[in-house]
């Protein structure tokens, strides 16, 4: 009995914290009966579950101010894309409508009903909209902000949450000016609009307001990128990471920010791999490592807008054939990720060398467990670091092809 207890104690100590003992037993059983294909779903689910923090962003303003188009732009969608928020000038709902990010569903943008009623009361409105669930509010207006916008901002501030003033459809204003004048100094005209908005808000009791001038149809122009930087800067570390990963690739800087965040994820994947590598069961660690690599690379591709759906949305936005964008991506990193695809990558040889030695040592329980944990961690870390570097470079090239930037 004593020997049995000692064995159980060792096994529990070696169990990776990412898995319960029941899950680990199921992984081992599934591997025995079905190999890699049978254990892969649970491993990939664990990878997906590593970050379940939600981010809820409220977008409010009168009907016709461009709330839906803004929500779509923040999600990298056009108004005509599947899953896009419906746009129009008529307010059709009295309830908030949530729109999930197309690849990171824990990020949601909420279209709140218009606030133009004469009987509007900010406190009651926020209660009805379930104020507490939102991380911050974006108050959108065209031309100038109304009394209701100001009352709402004051109430949001009183309740301790962040809000941002966004002046939308700035491209329409400039187009109107060009029809009236032969030459328009865009920079000067934008500054005049900004000063007018800030002065009026300050006069109504909003001290030192910041106003972002945007066009949701031109997210790479005006203050759209500056708005995203402002939102990012006011979030805590966890939610900041989620927000940045959910941003459409509007600039090379955004791609690099995503790269920096995903580098930290590599430690999580490598730790998961190292923990499973400590399980002394022939072939088990190699199978799990490949499952982790597949799940991680698929996740990286989604965050960097390199999955098929994201590439199609980008092609639509840029007015380019999706095939032209895909031509910049190496074949092994395009399409479905499989064990064969992992092995075809340039990093496959190193993976096989390390795992072959690991497989042999699995038959020696103590030595196999020690080497398994260390080699799995190192192999996964090196492979994913190389994969992330390649994918980041590809994302930059895809952007240049899409928008013909230098």
């Amino acid at each position: 009995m004593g020997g049995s207890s000692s064995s159980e104690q060792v096994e529990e100590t070696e169990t990776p914290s990412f898995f319960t003992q029941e899950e680990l037993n199921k992984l081992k059983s599934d591997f025995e009966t079905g190999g890699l294909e049978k254990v892969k779903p649970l491993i990939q689910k664990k990878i997906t579950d590593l970050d379940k923090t939600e981010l809820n962003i409220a977008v409010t303003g009168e009907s016709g101010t461009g709330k839906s188009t803004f929500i779509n732009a923040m999600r990298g969608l056009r108004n005509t894309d599947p899953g896009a928020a419906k746009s129009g000038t008529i307010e059709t709902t009295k309830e908030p409508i949530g729109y999930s990010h197309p690849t990171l569903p824990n990020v949601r943008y909420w279209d709140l009903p218009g606030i133009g009623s004469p009987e509007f009361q900010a406190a009651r409105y926020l209660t009805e909209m379930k104020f507490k669930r939102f991380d911050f509010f974006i108050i959108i207006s065209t031309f100038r902000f109304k009394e209701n916008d100001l009352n709402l901002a004051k109430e949001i501030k009183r309740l301790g949450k962040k809000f941002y003033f966004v002046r939308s459809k700035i491209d329409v204003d400039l187009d109107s000016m060009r029809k009236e004048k032969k030459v328009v100094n865009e920079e000067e005209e934008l500054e005049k609009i900004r000063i007018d908005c800030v002065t009026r808000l300050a006069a109504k009791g909003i001290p030192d307001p910041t106003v972002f001038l945007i066009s949701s149809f031109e997210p790479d122009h005006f203050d759209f990128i500056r708005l995203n930087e402002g939102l990012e800067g006011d979030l805590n570390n966890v939610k900041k990471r989620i927000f940045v990963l959910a941003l459409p690739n509007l600039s090379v800087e955004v791609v690099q920010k995503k790269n920096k965040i995903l580098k930290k994820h590599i430690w999580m994947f490598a730790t998961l791999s190292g923990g499973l590598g400590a399980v002394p069961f022939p072939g088990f660690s190699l199978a799990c490592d490949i499952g982790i690599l597949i799940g991680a690379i698929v996740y990286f591709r989604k965050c960097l807008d390199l999955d098929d759906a994201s590439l199609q949305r980008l092609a639509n936005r840029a007015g380019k054939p999706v095939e032209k964008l895909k031509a910049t991506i190496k074949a092994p990193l395009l399409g479905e990720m499989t064990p064969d695809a992992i092995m075809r990558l340039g990093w496959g040889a190193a993976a096989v060398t390390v795992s072959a030695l690991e497989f042999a040592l699995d038959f020696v329980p103590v030595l196999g467990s020690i080497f398994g944990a260390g080699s799995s961690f190192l192999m996964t870390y090196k492979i994913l670091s190389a994969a992330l570097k390649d994918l980041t470079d590809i994302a930059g090239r895809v952007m240049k092809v899409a928008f013909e930037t230098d």
Side-chain angles (χ1 to χ4, degrees):
M1 287 292 286
S4 175
S5 298
S6 173
S7 172
E8 287 174 6
Q9 186 175 358
V10 170
E11 186 176 53
E12 286 178 5
T13 303
E14 292 175 350
T15 300
S17 59
F18 297 98
F19 292 91
T20 64
Q21 186 62 47
E22 182 181 354
E23 287 172 334
L24 186 60
N25 291 338
K26 185 176 188 309
L27 275 174
K28 291 164 70 175
S29 173
D30 285 349
F31 177 73
E32 285 184 279
T33 58
L36 172 62
E37 286 305 311
K38 202 162 181 182
V39 301
K40 189 169 66 173
L42 179 56
I43 294 172
Q44 291 180 330
K45 181 180 182 299
K46 278 292 176 181
I47 291 172
T48 303
D49 289 346
L50 283 175
D51 200 344
K52 281 294 186 182
T53 304
E54 289 191 356
L55 180 63
N56 291 289
I57 301 164
V59 182
T60 184
E62 293 184 359
S63 60
T65 55
K67 292 182 294 178
S68 298
T69 304
F70 173 76
I71 288 171
N72 291 334
M74 291 294 288
R75 297 158 69 222
L77 301 177
R78 301 176 307 161
N79 289 344
T80 54
D81 287 339
K86 293 181 180 178
S87 60
T89 57
I90 300 174
E91 194 69 57
T92 58
T93 181
K94 299 299 180 184
E95 298 293 331
I97 301 177
Y99 295 95
S100 295
H101 187 275
T103 54
L104 298 174
N106 51 324
V107 178
R108 292 185 186 87
Y109 289 86
W110 294 83
D111 186 349
L112 272 55
I115 55 177
S117 168
E119 295 82 23
F120 169 74
Q121 292 180 357
R124 181 167 57 82
Y125 177 87
L126 289 175
T127 300
E128 291 175 359
M129 296 302 111
K130 299 180 180 177
F131 168 85
K132 289 183 179 179
R133 71 176 160 190
F134 303 119
D135 292 283
F136 53 79
F137 290 75
I138 294 171
I139 303 172
I140 294 185
S141 183
T142 53
F143 303 112
R144 61 176 56 103
F145 294 95
K146 306 289 180 64
E147 196 71 28
N148 286 333
D149 298 322
L150 303 176
N151 290 339
L152 180 61
K154 290 174 183 177
E155 186 65 16
I156 293 170
K157 184 177 181 180
R158 187 184 71 80
L159 294 171
K161 295 232 175 168
K162 294 279 187 180
F163 63 88
Y164 305 84
F165 287 114
V166 170
R167 169 74 158 72
S168 65
K169 302 186 180 182
I170 209 71
D171 54 327
V172 176
D173 293 304
L174 292 173
D175 286 342
S176 297
M177 291 177 195
R178 292 187 185 102
K179 290 176 182 177
E180 296 174 0
K181 305 176 184 179
K182 288 184 179 180
V183 179
V184 171
N185 186 316
E186 185 174 296
E187 191 173 328
E188 284 183 6
E189 295 300 336
L190 290 174
E191 189 60 22
K192 287 179 185 176
I193 295 171
R194 194 189 312 279
I195 290 172
D196 180 66
C197 289
V198 169
T199 302
R200 290 175 182 275
L201 288 168
K204 293 291 186 179
I206 306 291
D208 302 318
T210 300
V211 178
F212 298 95
L213 311 180
I214 72 158
S215 164
S216 296
F217 291 110
E218 300 180 55
D220 58 338
H221 200 25
F222 308 116
D223 287 345
F224 206 97
I225 292 175
R226 196 168 71 88
L227 168 64
N228 286 331
E229 289 172 349
L231 302 178
E232 174 194 342
D234 285 335
L235 290 167
N236 66 36
N237 286 337
V238 174
K239 297 204 172 189
K240 179 187 296 188
R241 183 178 75 239
I242 297 167
F243 177 75
V244 171
L245 292 178
L247 287 174
N249 290 349
L250 299 176
S251 67
V252 174
E253 288 75 22
V254 171
V255 174
Q256 290 302 323
K257 283 182 181 179
K258 290 183 178 183
N259 172 270
K260 189 175 180 180
I261 290 167
L262 292 173
K263 278 182 179 177
K264 296 178 181 178
H265 282 60
I266 290 175
W267 284 97
M268 290 195 294
F269 294 124
T271 302
L272 175 58
S273 176
L276 289 169
V279 179
F281 191 86
F284 178 73
S285 179
L286 173 59
C288 291
D289 286 346
I290 292 175
I292 291 167
L293 290 170
I294 290 172
I297 291 170
V298 168
Y299 178 69
F300 290 170
R301 288 196 318 196
K302 285 183 177 181
C303 292
L304 289 166
D305 291 350
L306 292 174
D307 59 297
D308 285 345
S310 296
L311 287 170
Q312 185 62 63
R313 288 192 294 270
L314 177 60
N316 294 342
R317 208 164 75 233
K320 302 281 176 67
V322 71
E323 290 75 18
K324 188 172 183 179
L325 304 187
K326 288 185 176 182
T328 65
I329 304 175
K330 292 182 191 175
L333 288 171
L334 185 64
E336 184 183 1
M337 291 304 301
T338 63
D340 286 342
I342 292 290
M343 293 305 176
R344 287 201 308 273
L345 294 169
W347 330 298
V352 172
T353 301
V354 174
S355 294
L357 179 56
E358 179 184 18
F359 183 92
L361 289 172
D362 272 334
F363 290 99
V364 186
V366 177
L367 185 58
S369 293
I370 294 171
F371 183 81
S375 64
S376 290
F377 177 93
L378 185 62
M379 181 188 75
T380 302
Y381 185 83
K382 286 188 173 181
I383 290 176
L384 289 183
S385 293
L388 180 59
K389 182 181 183 302
D390 278 0
L391 289 169
T392 302
D393 291 343
I394 289 168
R397 292 201 301 272
V398 167
M399 274 193 59
K400 290 177 182 178
V401 171
F403 299 110
E404 296 180 347
T405 58
D406 295 326

